[in-house]
Amino acid sequence: MFYGAVVWDPWLIVTQIACLQCLYYLTLGFFMAILVGTRVSRMSLVYFFDYATVTASTVTGWCVIASFVLSSLAGAVYMFYLIERAKKCIDFSATLYIIHLFICIIYGGWPSSITWWIVNGTGVAVMALLGEYLCIRRELREIPIARYRSNV
């Protein structure tokens, strides 16, 4: 994509947000199935959206925390491929976690656990900073210019 001409495309932005949100929850589900699913008898949306499950007092709670952190790491890689611009990474990661906050409020009420806030604050920071780092590395690569020599 050529970035010289900035074009306002709201459908692209909405599509990128939807794709990033879906990939985040798919990854979170994958890590929850591996880490939490082996410890509990029945997996449910409680582990995704209820703040009470994000706790440091049980092993299952630590597995939930690890799932959220690993998903934020994967989210940074998704932003590297979907967003492709370092200056947009903070916006998209904040949007993802704000949408997650709204879903959590609808599902289980206002998150009153300090652990939930620390985990999600760490998640948004890791996703934004690692995503920016990956995108900056790509943006700062040298542009290869092929030099052709004539055989005269």
Side-chain angles (χ1 to χ4, degrees):
M1 184 172 187
F2 180 68
Y3 296 111
V6 177
V7 177
W8 171 251
D9 189 2
W11 289 111
L12 174 65
I13 295 169
V14 169
T15 303
Q16 286 174 324
I17 291 170
C19 286
L20 189 63
Q21 198 81 33
C22 290
L23 286 171
Y24 175 78
Y25 284 128
L26 282 173
T27 307
L28 183 61
F30 173 75
F31 287 126
M32 288 273 190
I34 291 172
L35 297 174
V36 178
T38 57
R39 303 196 50 78
V40 297
S41 60
R42 184 170 177 260
M43 277 294 294
S44 69
L45 290 178
V46 170
Y47 296 102
F48 286 80
F49 302 121
D50 193 358
Y51 65 89
T53 60
V54 182
T55 179
S57 61
T58 63
V59 177
T60 305
W62 277 105
C63 291
V64 171
I65 291 170
S67 298
F68 275 103
V69 171
L70 291 171
S71 295
S72 68
L73 290 171
V77 175
Y78 297 146
M79 282 198 299
F80 174 71
Y81 289 108
L82 287 175
I83 310 306
E84 298 179 337
R85 295 300 304 259
K87 67 180 185 176
K88 295 180 179 179
C89 287
I90 186 86
D91 299 333
F92 279 91
S93 60
T95 302
L96 184 141
Y97 277 91
I98 289 169
I99 292 170
H100 179 69
L101 172 65
F102 286 148
I103 294 171
C104 290
I105 290 170
I106 291 169
Y107 189 84
W110 182 260
S112 60
S113 167
I114 191 70
T115 309
W116 187 92
W117 288 101
I118 291 171
V119 167
N120 284 283
T122 303
V124 72
V126 165
M127 185 182 287
L129 293 175
L130 183 59
E132 281 185 21
Y133 172 76
L134 294 172
C135 291
I136 285 174
R137 283 189 47 129
R138 182 189 345 205
E139 290 173 4
L140 293 179
R141 279 192 310 211
E142 288 187 26
I143 300 172
I145 299 174
R147 294 188 178 182
Y148 297 105
R149 292 186 179 181
S150 61
N151 293 333
V152 178

